């Protein structure tokens, strides 16, 4: 295990294109950190800087209290799992697992022991004599993980390892990755653009935006107390509804609504909006017309438009019977409001 520390890390391309803008982060022994954010936010670049695959323009990266800025990837005691598996096609699964250990002159009996342990943990024992082309995508990803596990590194680095798999297999594999990481207690950094993956895997989430950290915290902390409107709309599916105060055309505020003077935007999660019929009017209310209904099983997400054509999404039971074109009033519980100032920071 190893503690990983990033101190004011920056990455500049071409002298003036700053991809990573002063990131500082402490990752504890055995912790699973997930870097999440939209495409181009710098999450993969940051991971590759820790791995040694990208140079560091300034700042410092330490692994197990050792500065690694100038070390080659092979000298950093890390193992990386890529989305494209990176398996040797001419080798069997057993040979792929053993390759890195042989290069380190690991004794044969130790190699065999580690391969047996990893194959059992990953349930790939029946495939040890097969070539990668004879395996499914999920089986190949298990082999890629096994190759990382047998090395017993100080840290695992995962670069969107599940993005090539179908939806059902992604769910299975993320459960498997979380189970293995907890049982091995190996410090891990995981990169994904999939927020569901991020929420289910992370001990702590790091939300990146344009090369900067927007917020760090547990998944539930980021969901319930987003620090910015960016985090509020990025974490959660469907996104949080945001409404500007004072426009009056879509959502109406009751005269007795008491909000901080610094509040400029109200955020409301889809599950915190209710149809006004049978409910006492809340401090905010909107009359909407339904534009689309997404049935996702036991529940549906209703997409509607307010009088000024502002979009709003709310959640109802799957058999609600709501149809496109229906008109209705909406209200919300003020205790569930998220308030942000004019700069988009949480109030």
């Amino acid at each position: 295990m190893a503690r990983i520390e990033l101190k004011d890390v920056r990455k500049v391309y071409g002298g003036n294109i700053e991809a990573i803008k002063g990131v500082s982060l402490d990752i504890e022994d055995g912790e699973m950190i997930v870097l999440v954010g939209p495409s181009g936010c710098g999450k993969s670049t940051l991971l590759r800087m820790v791995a040694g695959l990208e140079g560091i323009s300034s700042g410092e990266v330490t692994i197990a209290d050792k500065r690694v800025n100038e070390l080659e990837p092979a000298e950093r005691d890390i193992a990386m799992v890529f989305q494209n598996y990176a398996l040797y096609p001419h080798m069997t699964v057993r040979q792929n697992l053993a390759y890195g250990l042989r290069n380190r002159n690991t004794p044969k009996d130790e190699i065999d022991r580690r391969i047996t342990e990893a194959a059992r943990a990953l349930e790939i024992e029946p495939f040890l004599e097969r070539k990668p082309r004879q395996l499914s995508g999920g089986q190949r990803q298990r082999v890629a993980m096994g190759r990382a596990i047998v090395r017993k590194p100080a840290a695992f680095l995962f670069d969107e390892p599940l993005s090539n798999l179908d939806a059902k297999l992604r769910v299975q594999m993320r459960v498997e990755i979380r189970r293995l990481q907890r049982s091995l207690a190996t410090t891990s950094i995981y990169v994904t653009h999939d927020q569901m993956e991020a929420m289910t895997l992370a001990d702590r989430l790091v939300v990146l935006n344009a090369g900067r950290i927007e917020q760090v915290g547990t998944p539930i902390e980021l969901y319930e107390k987003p620090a910015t409107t960016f985090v509020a709309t990025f974490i959660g599916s469907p996104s949080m509804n945001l409404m500007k105060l004072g426009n009056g055309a879509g959502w109406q505020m009751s005269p007795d609504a008491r909000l901080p003077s610094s509040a400029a935007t109200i955020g409301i999660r889809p599950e915190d909006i209710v149809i006004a019929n049978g409910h006492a009017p809340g401090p905010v209310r909107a009359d909407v017309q339904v534009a689309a209904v997404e049935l996702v099983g036991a529940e549906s997400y209703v997409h509607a438009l307010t009088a000024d054509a502002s979009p709003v999404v709310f959640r109802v039971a799957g058999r609600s019977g709501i149809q496109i074109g229906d008109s209705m009033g909406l209200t919300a519980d003020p205790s569930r409001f998220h308030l942000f100032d004019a700069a988009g920071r949480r109030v």
Side-chain angles (χ1 to χ4, degrees):
M1 293 192 295
R3 185 169 180 266
I4 299 175
E5 188 174 3
L6 284 66
K7 298 178 183 177
D8 196 25
V9 171
R10 298 175 185 272
K11 178 65 180 180
V12 180
Y13 292 104
N16 60 359
I17 301 173
E18 198 172 18
I20 300 295
K21 304 170 182 177
V23 167
S24 295
L25 181 65
D26 289 342
I27 304 170
E28 298 300 327
D29 280 350
E31 189 175 23
M32 178 71 138
I33 286 286
V34 178
L35 306 180
V36 66
S39 296
C41 72
K43 54 188 183 293
S44 288
T45 300
L46 191 61
L47 187 78
R48 290 170 64 84
M49 291 165 74
V50 175
L53 301 174
E54 288 278 359
I56 299 168
S57 301
S58 66
E60 184 176 81
V61 175
T62 62
I63 300 176
D65 298 321
K66 180 181 180 181
R67 176 186 164 100
V68 299
N69 287 38
E70 292 78 26
L71 296 184
E72 293 296 320
E75 301 173 307
R76 299 191 181 200
D77 195 19
I78 53 95
M80 196 156 181
V81 181
F82 300 92
Q83 77 178 68
N84 64 355
Y85 318 130
L87 301 176
Y88 295 106
H90 62 288
M91 295 182 181
T92 64
V93 168
R94 185 185 298 277
Q95 291 167 335
N96 267 282
L97 296 177
Y99 183 78
L101 298 177
R102 288 202 180 102
N103 284 348
R104 290 169 175 78
N105 298 316
T106 307
K108 185 179 183 304
D109 59 342
E110 178 66 10
I111 292 175
D112 292 340
R113 185 184 66 79
R114 292 192 191 184
I115 289 175
T116 299
E117 288 177 356
R120 185 180 299 120
L122 291 163
E123 300 180 356
I124 56 173
E125 292 170 289
F127 316 126
L128 287 174
E129 307 310 322
R130 294 187 189 180
K131 300 284 182 65
R133 67 177 178 273
Q134 298 172 300
L135 305 177
S136 68
Q139 290 164 350
R140 290 181 203 176
Q141 193 54 271
R142 287 173 186 265
V143 175
M145 289 170 56
R147 188 173 55 188
I149 289 170
V150 296
R151 288 191 39 204
K152 298 187 181 297
F156 292 135
L157 307 182
F158 297 89
D159 190 7
E160 305 214 38
L162 307 184
S163 59
N164 286 339
L165 305 180
D166 62 52
K168 182 179 179 180
L169 194 51
R170 280 202 304 273
V171 173
Q172 294 174 350
M173 286 302 299
R174 71 177 182 235
V175 171
E176 187 68 17
I177 287 173
R178 193 62 177 116
R179 180 188 67 80
L180 279 167
Q181 193 275 333
R182 281 181 171 164
S183 66
L184 297 169
T186 304
T187 309
S188 302
I189 306 176
Y190 190 106
V191 163
T192 182
H193 65 276
D194 185 327
Q195 59 156 294
M196 183 62 71
E197 212 169 280
M199 295 281 285
T200 54
L201 283 171
D203 289 321
R204 284 190 300 153
L205 278 176
V206 179
V207 179
L208 290 168
N209 179 25
R212 291 189 174 91
I213 291 179
E214 286 273 333
Q215 189 174 359
V216 181
T218 65
I220 195 65
E221 285 172 349
L222 269 63
Y223 188 81
E224 292 191 341
K225 293 185 177 180
T228 66
T229 52
F230 177 86
V231 177
T233 54
F234 190 81
I235 298 297
S237 181
S239 295
M240 181 184 288
N241 297 283
L242 297 181
M243 56 186 185
K244 295 291 184 182
L245 297 180
N247 59 19
W251 290 85
Q252 294 85 43
M253 301 290 298
S254 65
D256 60 344
R258 294 182 176 89
L259 299 176
S261 59
S262 58
T265 302
I266 292 179
I268 311 175
R269 293 282 182 199
E271 62 268 27
D272 295 324
I273 294 175
V274 295
I275 298 171
N277 299 340
H279 292 269
V284 296
R285 179 187 170 92
D287 294 313
V288 301
Q289 185 172 45
V290 175
V293 180
E294 287 183 291
L295 176 62
V296 291
E299 59 189 20
S300 293
Y301 287 104
V302 180
H303 298 255
L305 297 174
T306 63
D308 65 346
S310 296
V312 58
V313 183
F314 59 100
R315 187 172 70 183
V316 296
R319 296 184 177 90
S320 67
I322 294 175
Q323 302 291 323
I324 293 173
D326 287 354
S327 296
M328 63 192 67
L330 303 178
T331 188
D333 179 356
S335 69
R336 303 298 298 166
F337 287 176
H338 300 262
L339 304 177
F340 304 93
D341 63 20
R345 294 285 174 182
R346 187 177 188 86
V347 174

